[in-house]
Amino acid sequence: MLFHSTRGKDKDKTFEQVLMQGLADDGGLFIPDNWPKVDINKLKELDTFLDVAKYIVPMFTQSSFDKGEVEEVLNNTWHNFSEKDLIKIFDIDESTAILELFHGPTAAFKDFGLQLAAAFFNKTLQTQNKTAVVFGATSGDTGSAAIDACKEFDLIKSFILIPDGNMSEIQRKQMTTVDKSNVFPILVSGTFDDCQDIVKKGFSERSFLRDDQYLLAVNSINWVRIIGQICYYFYASLIVNKLSHPLNFSVPTGNFGNVFACYAASKMGMPLEKIIVAVNSNDILDRFFKNNDYSKKTVSETISPSMDISVASNFERLMYDFYLNRNSEACSNLYNNFPEYGIKIDDEMWQKSVDLFMSYSINDDSTYESMKFYNNEYNYVMDPHTAVAAKAVSSLKDKLKNKTIILSTAHPAKFPNALDNAGIISDDIPDNLSEVISKKEVASKLSASEDSIFNYIKENN
Ligand SMILES: *Cc1c(COP(=O)(O)O)cnc(C)c1O
């Protein structure tokens, strides 16, 4: 099975090509040529997350690696998790459970996708006898998960731009206290958008690379990250009911990567009732699912910063596969004038949404309410991102059939100010985080100028 772009021009790519390239040449996003189908009876016999991953991942990688190679990579992929089977499921009541995806080294679910990405980056670099530069900007959890995932691999140097802004102190310290010779956190006096612009320029001009070096992106459009996330939807369904009944999943989302992984799992055969798309006041997705209005607005800063986005990059994959029935020309046309002009699709087409999706937008006050509610009623402390997904569930409860799984994407200790403001006291801090708090920060400080940043990379590459 090969991969092609949602805009149709970049096609017949192997897994390895898609992995190392990230974004398609025509500006679209890669998607598999067809959806591989699972054998539910085989999956039912599995026990652990790793078993599930060893079943799912090879379905996407066979164009580049044989099954034995993939199993070897996977045996060493997910590391430094504090839970034996990586994930814990906490039952709130008979109809609701929380899928805790934050037991990895950086205490957010991004460890699942980025550790898989780093493991395959490294495998490819070894095979091809090459090295790589990882270059990215972060507004929160991506940077720390990328740095952590790549730091053990000497063939990869990571340069991550950290803007002044709405990041928690712990999130920043997770990047600035790593102290490894192949890791370069850069504190930039500028906004996240400034940083992203510089990264974008970097990818087009590449002047700081040595000959024959890869430049790798770690943003959420890389297909390999979706694969890592598909695995935990199957795992959750396996643990909750042996894949026997459709579940609802409530997903706190920004860039739509995590939601798309859920959709992909259902296309592969996972029983699914509804996906609840839960967003903060950056509500482009909610406006689409409620009013068929996918248009860009300025970003507002919220207490769930990892979902503060103006457009949801991965949504293009859903548009292409679900609404447009894989018509790449139509997809190209829709995205041609976006984001200058918003997207509105044919009403009949848009009606399809109700079969599978519900959405909800939650402001900061309701997010605090939700954190308090679950703490008071169930003695369960959740982080503000999780609280957004939980609030969507309590608000939509009357419309939901079957059991609902709330995805918990970050450990609450990552957001101490939000806990404070909600009046929640908790001394549960994972070891990985408490170590970070006491360590010394080491980072270069640069202005938001391309020249200074590109020169810095060149000097240190
Ligand atoms: C990145 C992130 C999200 C949003 O993930 P998407 O894949 O963009 O939907 C939600 N919660 C946390 C804690 C995150 O770090």
Side-chain angles (χ1 to χ4, degrees):
M1 182 249 291
L2 296 173
F3 297 82
H4 66 276
S5 161
T6 49
R7 306 210 187 157
K9 300 233 165 59
D10 199 358
K11 54 186 185 219
D12 301 325
K13 292 276 166 106
T14 63
F15 168 74
E16 195 175 86
Q17 288 172 313
V18 164
L19 170 80
M20 302 311 268
Q21 192 178 325
L23 193 69
D25 287 338
D26 56 9
L29 275 67
F30 285 117
I31 195 156
D33 286 353
N34 51 62
W35 291 113
K37 298 283 187 239
V38 300
D39 178 344
I40 294 279
N41 288 325
K42 279 214 177 117
L43 266 171
K44 270 185 188 164
E45 288 163 13
L46 307 179
D47 292 316
T48 65
F49 177 80
L50 190 57
D51 286 344
V52 173
K54 284 181 178 174
Y55 182 86
I56 299 291
V57 179
M59 295 179 145
F60 294 103
T61 52
Q62 80 231 107
S63 54
S64 302
F65 302 109
D66 65 41
K67 213 168 167 185
E69 288 176 299
V70 175
E71 289 192 358
E72 204 186 305
V73 169
L74 294 179
N75 282 335
N76 300 305
T77 290
W78 291 287
H79 48 79
N80 296 64
F81 278 67
S82 60
E83 277 295 311
K84 196 171 130 282
D85 204 15
L86 280 59
I87 294 167
K88 225 171 95 181
I89 300 180
F90 180 88
D91 282 315
I92 287 279
D93 56 31
E94 267 144 52
S95 61
T96 323
I98 298 190
L99 185 68
E100 295 183 351
L101 299 170
F102 54 69
H103 297 291
T106 72
F109 84 106
K110 289 192 172 72
D111 288 325
F112 282 92
L114 283 162
Q115 289 197 352
L116 187 66
F120 275 111
F121 288 157
N122 185 57
K123 170 81 183 160
T124 303
L125 294 170
Q126 279 177 338
T127 318
Q128 299 184 0
N129 200 12
K130 288 188 180 175
T131 62
V133 165
V134 160
F135 186 32
T138 188
S139 59
D141 297 324
T142 306
S144 51
I147 286 176
D148 189 84
C150 294
K151 70 182 182 194
E152 303 303 333
F153 300 122
D154 292 336
L155 299 175
I156 305 174
K157 282 189 173 171
S158 304
F159 295 86
I160 301 292
L161 306 184
I162 308 168
D164 298 331
N166 194 23
M167 191 178 301
S168 76
E169 186 183 344
I170 294 180
Q171 284 181 305
R172 188 189 68 242
K173 283 192 168 174
Q174 282 184 304
M175 294 182 272
T176 55
T177 59
V178 172
D179 197 20
K180 284 252 180 191
S181 60
N182 60 342
V183 172
F184 301 87
I186 304 172
L187 295 171
V188 177
S189 47
T191 63
F192 177 60
D193 282 345
D194 296 335
C195 293
Q196 266 197 319
D197 286 344
I198 293 169
V199 170
K200 229 179 178 172
K201 283 264 168 57
F203 272 78
S204 58
E205 80 144 62
R206 312 166 83 91
S207 56
F208 44 78
L209 293 182
R210 287 187 274 122
D211 286 349
D212 221 20
Q213 220 178 6
Y214 278 109
L215 180 60
L216 300 173
V218 285
N219 49 23
S220 75
I221 50 91
N222 197 311
W223 182 258
V224 71
R225 284 181 59 176
I226 307 278
I227 302 175
Q229 295 170 211
I230 290 171
C231 297
Y232 57 64
Y233 285 100
F234 276 107
Y235 175 76
S237 303
L238 175 72
I239 299 298
V240 170
N241 64 20
K242 288 258 172 203
L243 295 133
S244 62
H245 299 294
L247 297 169
N248 305 297
F249 286 94
S250 181
V251 187
T253 192
N255 243 329
F256 209 69
N258 208 0
V259 181
F260 192 78
C262 184
Y263 170 80
S266 88
K267 296 298 280 189
M268 295 169 70
M270 181 189 77
L272 175 67
E273 181 69 27
K274 289 280 186 304
I275 305 177
I276 300 159
V277 178
V279 299
N280 62 29
S281 43
N282 295 288
D283 64 351
I284 182 168
L285 288 163
D286 188 50
R287 281 182 284 119
F288 176 79
F289 287 111
K290 293 233 168 71
N291 308 319
N292 192 4
D293 166 24
Y294 188 78
S295 59
K296 181 176 173 169
K297 287 189 180 165
T298 48
V299 181
S300 43
E301 290 196 349
T302 72
I303 58 163
S304 44
S306 302
M307 311 198 295
D308 291 348
I309 49 85
S310 58
V311 299
S313 318
N314 272 287
F315 183 66
E316 181 169 342
R317 288 188 164 117
L318 188 79
M319 185 55 88
Y320 171 74
D321 192 77
F322 183 66
Y323 293 102
L324 301 174
N325 290 318
R326 298 198 159 213
N327 180 336
S328 55
E329 204 182 312
C331 191
S332 249
N333 289 340
L334 270 188
Y335 275 91
N336 237 346
N337 299 316
F338 183 81
E340 288 75 29
Y341 293 90
I343 291 176
K344 178 177 163 51
I345 57 173
D346 196 72
D347 241 4
E348 219 165 284
M349 220 184 252
W350 174 76
Q351 292 293 345
K352 256 184 103 168
S353 316
V354 297
D355 299 342
L356 198 54
F357 293 98
M358 294 181 176
S359 76
Y360 217 85
S361 160
I362 290 103
N363 65 21
D364 283 355
D365 286 345
S366 304
T367 308
Y368 284 130
E369 285 301 312
S370 171
M371 291 168 72
K372 285 183 207 164
F373 174 80
Y374 283 90
N375 185 45
N376 294 341
E377 292 294 312
Y378 301 99
N379 207 9
Y380 188 87
V381 180
M382 56 176 59
D383 100 291
H385 302 80
T386 309
V388 166
K391 178 74 185 177
V393 173
S394 45
S395 307
L396 294 167
K397 213 167 183 112
D398 296 341
K399 295 184 187 154
L400 291 170
K401 287 192 301 189
N402 301 355
K403 189 161 182 165
T404 301
I405 311 298
I406 297 166
L407 271 72
S408 181
T409 49
H411 193 288
K414 271 189 116 162
F415 302 94
N417 291 344
L419 292 184
D420 260 4
N421 292 340
I424 296 170
I425 297 164
S426 169
D427 53 9
D428 169 26
I429 301 180
D431 292 347
N432 290 323
L433 290 184
S434 53
E435 279 166 24
V436 157
I437 293 167
S438 57
K439 272 194 199 158
K440 194 170 167 279
E441 287 190 84
V442 183
S444 302
K445 286 190 180 142
L446 296 177
S447 63
S449 104
E450 285 157 34
D451 285 348
S452 64
I453 287 169
F454 295 168
N455 281 334
Y456 175 86
I457 300 177
K458 203 168 181 175
E459 278 161 25
N460 290 287
N461 182 11

